[in-house]
């Protein structure tokens, strides 16, 4: 019979399961309700929390927007500034400003640039006229404008304007305004035809011509009749105005009245009086202020005055002042706290003994004398032609080689204290034989006896031959950074501050090595980003903090700026007649000098080359100062940046200057005076960083030309003009314009020729180059502010 047919089932894998998983199918009666209970309540609670959080964020944003709207358009807000800017010479801005003033005030007389409180529109407005042709005045008005109204005229089409409604000055103004940061903009079209269809066609032409130059939300309005201006003002009243981001970080005041008070205790000094509305943020009496173009100053006090143009004036409220309408009532006076007031510190006081070491002791002096006596008895390997004085400064790398008396053959020689005459004779003999004896180098090359012919060439002939070679290679643009080695000065003296780098990207360079004396007068931050966040948080506390030491935004005040030179105050009073002066509140540390780096681009309308270390006027936000920048490239993958002798058009570079500290973001407009003419826009950009230890290297290239070539070896001339320079720069790596790399092997002759070995076959027409670098720094400004 067959075997047993008993069924055998597969065993359960319970030995791999946990105890809880084996008991999961057993449901106790007690926990039955708990397990079957739904989790809807927990989900409902989490959803309620999310909804509540979203509602809180939405309410906070709504409250912030409502606060900003009340600050801009409420009865306690500062008047809105409308700047009328004509884009062509055919626009009559005076007539338009007069019509707007009559519409707002209902009067036919009065100053057209005065602040008007309109009861009809429930709006306070200041109308400013940007003078056509004066770029600096237009730029200063655009910095403080709440609305820039670009005015175009149909008559400009009849005057033969090349670009339609805008001429060359209008294009330049638009480019500068975009660099500064455009606020809310609108376009007013004047001198329209009578017919409705013709009006629509002209408006379409204006939109097609100017639409690409202006923001997308810019609106176009006809502005010929009173009804059209009335419609524009009603829309302007409810319009949400946008301001540049950089203007929202600092309080500022647009002056409506400027005066001065002489100080009898301080001859030559006076107190500058600036009256106007505080804007953007609360202004603290302990803050420093910057008067545009004049400099940074402390405040003596702030007088909060009664608003001369109240929007909602109650009847009989000013009946007592009706007899004397010119009297200005002082509501409250704020005095600075000596302990809390920001000090006016511009430069650091350098310590001349900061880098000095301790005075040596007697034991150190005795040890130094013993080492000097021992060094005099040592034999040293020296190049030929070295004098006794030069030999005293040469230190051997290894004392063992000197003690053993091992001396290399060839150009080196032995210098001993007892055999000076003998060594000099050997040096003269070695120099005469070095022209003809090239050691192992002559195996693959021809004899270099022709190099002796250079001894018959004069200095003018050598310079003419070098110039002939460079002219044959192309224009000067093909030789960037190339310099000629001088014939009358040794290269090791002329280029003593330069050094070679194995790799520009990876080689190390100590940022605190051999700093100039100007670095003792500037300030540096350990962590600039952290300091900026701390300063902005401190400025935010002024808006939310003590009311006794700060003035609320929208208040009409009089600033007493102390310790201003009398002649400087007179210049400010004269300039205030052309455009309103601006007093900007400074953040902490913003009066101190440091090294600022700007991302800069040459303006398209400026055709003159911009050279490094020339004097320019930098407009950084509300601030102005004179500086001599150093232009450099921006290397992302390296901590070293190459200096540029000229600002290249069409690309961004970095401009480094000595200037007062500013916290980004800040716009930049660079002005340059052309031979005493009106300032022209040379470049635009923005503030990049504040870092004194940014390494900027000036690069020079010494070039030589192959005289004899044999595969990987060549004899190169005209890079140096004496053998000492060849030996001095021997450790520096060479390269050619065709991509070969090599080293200097030895010098040949007495006129600076040298034997070189490369990593590949070198061509006869190739050019041998040597790159040398030194650190470059900006030039310290002799005059910091333009009005001083």
């Amino acid at each position: 019979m067959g075997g047993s047919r008993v069924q055998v089932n597969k065993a359960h894998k319970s030995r791999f399961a946990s105890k809880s998983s084996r008991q999961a199918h057993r449901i106790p009666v007690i926990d039955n309700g708990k397990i079957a209970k739904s989790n809807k309540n927990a989900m409902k609670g989490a959803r309620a929390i999310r909804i509540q959080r979203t509602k809180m964020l939405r309410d906070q944003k709504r409250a912030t927007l409502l606060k900003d709207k009340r600050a801009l358009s409420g009865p306690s807000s500062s008047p809105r500034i409308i700047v009328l800017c004509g884009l062509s010479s055919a626009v009559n801005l005076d007539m338009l400003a007069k019509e707007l003033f009559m519409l707002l005030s209902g009067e036919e007389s009065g100053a057209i640039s005065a602040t008007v409180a309109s009861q009809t529109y429930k709006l306070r407005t200041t109308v400013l006229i940007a003078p056509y042709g004066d770029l600096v005045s237009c730029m200063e008005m655009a910095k403080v404008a709440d609305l820039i109204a670009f005015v175009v005229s149909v008559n400009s089409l009849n005057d033969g304007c090349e670009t339609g409604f805008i001429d060359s000055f209008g294009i330049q103004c638009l480019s500068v305004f975009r660099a500064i940061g455009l606020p809310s903009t609108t376009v007013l079209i004047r001198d329209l035809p009578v017919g409705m269809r013709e009006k629509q066609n002209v408006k379409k032409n204006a939109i097609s011509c100017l639409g690409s130059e202006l923001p997308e939300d810019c609106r176009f309005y006809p502005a010929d009749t009173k009804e059209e201006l009335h419609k524009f003002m009603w829309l302007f009243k409810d319009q949400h105005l946008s301001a540049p981001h950089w203007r929202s970080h600092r309080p500022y005041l647009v002056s409506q009245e400027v005066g001065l008070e002489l100080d009898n205790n301080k001859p030559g000094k006076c107190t500058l009086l600036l009256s106007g509305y505080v804007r953007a943020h609360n202004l603290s009496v302990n803050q420093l202020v910057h008067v545009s173009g004049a400099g940074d100053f402390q405040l003596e006090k702030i007088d909060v005055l009664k608003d001369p143009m109240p929007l909602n004036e109650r009847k009989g409220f000013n009946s007592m002042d009706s007899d004397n309408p010119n009297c200005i009532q002082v509501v409250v006076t704020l005095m600075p706290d000596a302990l809390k007031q920001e000090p006016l510190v511009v430069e650091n006081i350098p310590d001349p003994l900061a880098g000095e070491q301790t005075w040596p002791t007697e034991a150190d002096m005795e040890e130094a004398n013993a080492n000097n006596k021992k060094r005099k008895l040592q034999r040293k390997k020296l190049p030929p032609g070295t004098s006794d004085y030069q030999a005293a400064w040469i230190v051997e790398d290894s004392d063992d080689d000197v003690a053993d008396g091992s001396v290399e053959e060839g150009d080196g020689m032995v210098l001993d204290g007892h055999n000076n005459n003998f060594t000099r004779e050997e040096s003269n003999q070695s120099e005469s034989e070095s022209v003809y004896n090239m050691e192992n180098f002559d195996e693959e090359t021809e004899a270099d006896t022709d190099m002796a012919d250079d001894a018959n060439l004069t200095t003018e002939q050598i310079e003419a031959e070098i110039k002939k070679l460079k002219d044959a290679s192309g224009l000067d643009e093909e030789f960037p950074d190339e310099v000629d080695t001088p014939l009358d000065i040794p290269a090791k003296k002329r280029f003593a501050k330069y050094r070679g780098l194995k790799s520009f990207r990876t080689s190390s360079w100590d940022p605190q090595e051999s700093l100039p004396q100007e670095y003792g007068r500037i300030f540096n931050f350990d962590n600039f980003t952290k300091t900026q966040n701390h300063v902005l948080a401190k400025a935010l506390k002024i808006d939310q903090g003590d009311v006794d030491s700060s003035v609320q935004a929208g208040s009409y005040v009089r600033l007493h700026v102390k310790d201003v030179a009398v002649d400087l105050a007179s210049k400010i009073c004269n300039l205030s007649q052309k455009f309103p002066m601006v007093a900007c509140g400074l953040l902490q540390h913003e009066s101190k000098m440091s090294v600022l780096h700007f991302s800069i681009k040459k303006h398209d309308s400026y055709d003159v080359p911009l050279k490094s270390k020339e004097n320019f006027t930098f407009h950084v936000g509300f601030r102005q100062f004179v500086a001599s920048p150093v232009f450099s490239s921006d290397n992302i993958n390296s901590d070293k940046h190459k200096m540029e002798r000229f600002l290249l058009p069409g690309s961004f570079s970095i401009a480094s200057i000595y200037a007062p500290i500013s916290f980004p973001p800040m716009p930049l407009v660079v002005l340059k005076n052309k031979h005493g003419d009106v300032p022209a826009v040379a470049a635009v950009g923005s503030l990049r960083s504040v870092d004194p230890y940014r390494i900027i290297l000036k690069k020079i290239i010494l070039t030589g030309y192959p005289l004899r070539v044999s595969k990987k070896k060549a004899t190169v001339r005209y890079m140096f003009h004496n053998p000492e320079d060849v030996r001095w720069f021997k450790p520096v790596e060479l390269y050619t314009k065709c991509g070969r790399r090599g080293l200097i092997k030895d010098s040949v002759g007495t006129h600076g020729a040298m034997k070189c070995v490369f990593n590949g076959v070198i061509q006869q027409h190739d050019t041998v180059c040597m790159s040398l670098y030194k650190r470059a720094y900006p030039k310290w400004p002799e005059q910091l502010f333009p009005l001083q």
Side-chain angles (χ1 to χ4, degrees):
M1 296 182 63
S4 176
R5 297 181 179 275
V6 179
Q7 180 179 355
V8 179
N9 297 324
K10 184 178 180 180
H12 292 284
K13 298 180 180 180
S14 60
R15 60 193 182 96
F16 298 105
S18 62
K19 184 176 180 181
S20 60
S21 62
R22 293 196 298 269
Q23 302 295 333
H25 63 284
R26 299 180 181 182
I27 302 175
V29 180
I30 301 174
D31 297 337
N32 189 9
K34 182 178 180 180
I35 295 177
K37 187 175 181 181
S38 175
N39 200 22
K40 292 183 180 180
N41 293 332
M43 296 296 294
K44 190 178 296 184
R47 182 171 178 269
I49 293 175
R50 289 198 307 271
I51 292 174
Q52 183 67 18
R53 184 184 299 111
T54 305
K55 184 176 180 298
M56 290 175 59
L57 294 175
R58 187 169 59 249
D59 293 342
Q60 290 178 0
K61 291 182 179 179
R62 184 183 292 113
T64 303
L65 292 175
L66 185 60
K67 180 181 178 181
D68 294 341
K69 184 177 180 181
R70 288 175 178 174
L72 292 175
S73 60
S76 60
S77 62
S78 56
R80 294 188 175 187
I81 298 177
I82 301 177
V83 175
L84 302 179
C85 180
L87 296 180
S88 64
S89 58
V91 179
N92 189 356
L93 296 180
D94 295 334
M95 183 60 67
L96 177 60
K98 183 177 180 180
E99 293 175 0
L100 284 175
F101 182 78
M102 291 171 56
L103 184 66
L104 291 171
S105 62
E107 300 176 0
E108 297 185 359
S109 62
I112 59 175
S113 61
T115 301
V116 183
S118 176
Q119 301 297 331
T120 304
Y121 302 101
K122 301 298 182 183
L123 185 67
R124 294 192 297 178
T125 309
T126 300
V127 180
L128 300 178
I129 301 175
Y132 181 85
D134 190 353
L135 183 61
V136 177
S137 299
C138 294
M139 186 170 58
E140 292 298 321
M141 292 183 183
K143 292 178 183 180
V144 300
D146 295 321
L147 177 72
I148 298 181
F150 295 105
V151 186
V152 297
S153 176
V154 182
N155 296 332
S156 60
L157 300 176
N158 301 328
D159 295 342
C161 188
E162 297 179 358
T163 55
F165 294 92
I166 182 172
D167 57 5
S168 60
F169 180 76
I171 294 175
Q172 188 179 23
C173 284
L174 279 176
S175 62
V176 173
F177 293 168
R178 284 196 298 266
I180 296 174
L182 278 175
S184 299
T185 58
T186 188
V187 177
L188 302 180
I189 306 174
R190 300 275 290 180
D191 304 326
L192 288 170
V194 181
M196 184 61 65
R197 179 172 297 180
E198 289 79 1
K199 283 186 178 181
Q200 294 297 330
N201 293 334
V202 171
K203 185 176 180 180
K204 289 180 181 180
N205 292 335
I207 293 175
S208 63
C209 180
L210 302 175
S212 60
E213 303 288 342
L214 298 173
E216 297 180 355
D217 58 347
C218 181
R219 296 182 180 182
F220 291 74
Y221 299 100
D224 281 331
T225 63
K226 184 177 179 180
E227 291 75 12
E228 293 172 346
L229 293 177
H230 179 71
K231 179 181 178 181
F232 161 69
M233 290 305 302
W234 273 112
L235 295 176
F236 169 66
K237 173 193 172 184
D238 298 329
Q239 182 180 357
H240 175 68
L241 301 178
S242 60
H245 183 60
W246 61 270
R247 210 166 69 184
S248 61
H249 288 314
R250 298 163 182 83
Y252 64 97
L253 179 141
V254 181
S255 64
Q256 295 185 355
E257 295 181 5
V258 179
L260 58 90
E261 290 182 355
L262 297 178
D263 192 353
N264 297 327
N265 298 328
K266 298 179 180 179
K269 298 290 184 178
C270 67
T271 301
L272 182 65
L273 305 180
L274 299 175
S275 300
Y277 291 91
V278 179
R279 301 172 184 271
H281 289 282
N282 296 349
L283 178 62
S284 176
V285 71
N286 298 320
Q287 280 183 279
L288 298 177
V289 295
H290 175 85
V291 181
S292 294
D296 305 333
F297 304 96
Q298 286 182 327
L299 292 177
E300 183 179 355
K301 62 179 179 178
I302 297 179
D303 292 334
V304 181
L305 308 179
K306 181 184 176 182
D307 197 340
M309 290 291 174
L311 186 60
N312 297 326
E313 188 174 1
R314 292 177 293 177
K315 293 183 178 180
F317 185 75
N318 292 331
S319 59
M320 295 182 294
D321 299 335
S322 58
D323 297 335
N324 190 5
N326 296 326
C327 180
I328 299 177
Q329 181 180 356
V330 178
V331 179
V332 65
T333 300
L334 302 181
M335 302 298 295
D337 188 354
L339 299 177
K340 297 181 180 180
Q341 190 175 19
E342 188 74 17
L344 183 58
V345 179
V346 179
E347 297 180 9
N348 186 24
I349 301 176
D351 186 5
L353 301 179
E356 296 292 333
Q357 298 179 355
T358 56
W359 189 260
T361 59
E362 295 182 358
D364 295 336
M365 298 292 291
E366 293 177 358
E367 183 180 358
N369 293 331
N371 293 334
N372 291 334
K373 292 180 181 179
K374 184 179 179 181
R375 190 179 294 110
K376 291 181 180 179
L377 298 177
Q378 292 179 351
R379 303 169 65 198
K380 301 179 182 180
K381 296 177 294 183
L382 299 174
T386 306
S387 64
D388 297 343
Y389 178 76
Q390 292 174 338
W393 291 94
I394 298 178
V395 181
E396 287 294 318
D397 296 335
S398 169
D399 293 338
D400 297 336
D401 296 340
V402 177
D404 296 339
S406 60
V407 181
E408 296 180 359
E409 297 179 358
D411 294 336
M413 71 175 188
V414 179
L415 176 65
D416 192 272
H418 303 282
N419 298 324
N420 292 337
N421 297 328
F422 175 74
T423 55
R424 287 172 185 169
E425 295 176 358
E426 285 187 349
S427 65
N428 296 332
Q429 182 179 1
S430 63
E431 287 182 5
S432 61
E433 294 177 355
S434 63
V435 179
Y436 304 98
N437 300 328
M438 300 180 64
E439 301 177 351
N440 298 329
F441 185 72
D442 291 333
E443 295 178 0
E444 297 180 356
T445 60
E446 298 180 1
D448 292 331
T449 56
D450 294 338
M451 289 300 300
D453 296 338
D454 290 341
N456 299 325
L457 297 178
T458 62
T459 303
E460 291 78 11
Q461 291 174 344
I462 294 176
E463 292 179 351
E465 189 172 353
I466 294 175
K467 186 178 183 300
K468 181 179 178 180
L469 290 173
K470 291 206 170 184
D471 292 341
S473 300
L475 301 175
D476 293 339
E477 289 79 5
E478 298 180 7
F479 302 99
D481 304 321
E482 293 188 14
V483 297
D484 295 330
T485 305
L487 298 175
D488 54 344
I489 303 176
K492 66 178 184 180
K493 292 183 179 179
R494 171 62 181 85
F495 307 117
K497 295 182 180 180
Y498 291 85
R499 69 179 71 173
L501 292 178
K502 180 69 176 177
S503 173
F504 186 83
R505 185 178 64 87
T506 59
S507 298
S508 61
W509 193 296
D510 188 4
Q512 300 185 13
E513 176 186 359
S514 301
L515 296 176
Q517 295 182 355
E518 288 80 7
Y519 267 54
R521 304 164 63 180
I522 64 175
F523 295 85
N524 182 36
F525 298 102
D526 294 335
N527 190 336
F528 181 75
T529 304
K530 186 176 181 181
T531 304
Q532 181 180 2
N533 296 333
H534 174 72
V535 169
L536 294 178
K538 185 177 180 180
L540 186 61
K541 291 181 180 179
I542 297 179
D543 292 341
Q544 304 173 353
D546 189 8
V547 183
D548 296 336
S549 62
S550 61
V551 180
Q552 298 293 325
S555 303
Y556 188 80
V557 300
R558 182 196 293 128
L559 302 182
H560 294 255
V561 184
K562 66 178 182 179
D563 296 339
V564 182
V566 177
D567 55 347
L568 181 59
S570 301
K571 293 179 182 179
I572 294 174
C573 294
N574 295 332
L575 287 177
S576 63
Q577 299 176 4
K578 298 175 58 178
F579 54 86
M581 300 299 297
V582 180
C584 171
L586 299 181
L587 301 177
Q588 190 180 13
H589 307 302
E590 282 196 331
S591 65
K592 302 174 182 178
M593 296 289 290
S594 186
V595 181
L596 277 63
H597 307 285
F598 296 88
S599 179
I600 191 174
K601 181 180 180 182
K602 187 176 180 181
H603 199 262
D604 297 334
S605 63
Y606 197 82
D607 54 353
V608 181
L610 299 179
K611 190 177 181 180
S612 292
K613 296 187 179 181
E614 286 185 347
N615 286 336
F616 298 94
T617 302
F618 278 60
H619 287 248
V620 184
F622 293 119
R623 310 179 73 180
Q624 304 176 21
F625 36 77
V626 180
S628 302
V630 169
F631 303 124
S632 62
S633 60
D634 186 16
N635 293 334
I636 302 176
N637 299 327
S638 175
D639 61 341
K640 296 176 287 297
H641 310 273
K642 178 180 171 297
M643 173 186 167
E644 297 176 353
R645 290 175 173 83
F646 294 92
L647 183 61
L648 302 178
S651 61
F652 279 92
S653 300
I654 302 298
S656 304
I657 63 173
Y658 290 114
I661 295 172
S662 297
F663 293 101
M666 293 291 283
L668 169 67
V669 177
V670 181
L671 301 182
K672 177 66 175 178
N673 294 329
K674 289 185 177 180
H675 306 290
D677 297 339
V678 294
V681 180
V684 295
S686 60
L687 178 61
R688 185 74 170 272
S689 62
V690 179
D691 184 13
Y693 296 133
R694 185 179 187 268
I695 301 175
I696 303 174
L697 299 183
K698 180 181 180 180
K699 177 182 178 181
I700 62 171
I701 299 176
L702 305 181
T703 56
Y705 304 95
L707 178 65
R708 297 287 184 267
V709 173
S710 178
K711 295 183 180 180
K712 297 182 180 180
K713 298 182 180 181
T715 302
V716 181
R717 61 177 179 176
Y718 296 144
M719 182 176 289
F720 303 107
H721 302 296
N722 57 75
E724 294 182 0
D725 293 338
V726 176
R727 288 187 287 269
W728 181 269
F729 290 97
K730 186 176 181 180
V732 184
E733 186 180 16
L734 303 175
Y735 67 95
T736 68
K737 291 187 177 181
C738 292
R740 304 301 181 189
R741 291 189 174 274
L743 294 172
I744 299 175
K745 187 176 180 181
D746 205 350
S747 64
V748 179
T750 59
H751 290 274
M754 56 188 180
K755 298 176 292 184
C756 304
V757 181
F758 297 90
N759 61 349
V761 178
I762 185 173
Q763 303 295 327
Q764 183 70 45
H765 61 80
D766 205 351
T767 304
V768 182
C769 304
M770 176 187 290
S771 296
L772 300 175
Y773 303 90
K774 78 169 183 178
R775 190 167 177 185
Y777 301 93
K779 185 179 178 182
W780 190 268
E782 299 178 358
Q783 177 184 353
L784 186 57
F785 300 104
L787 294 182
Q788 288 183 349

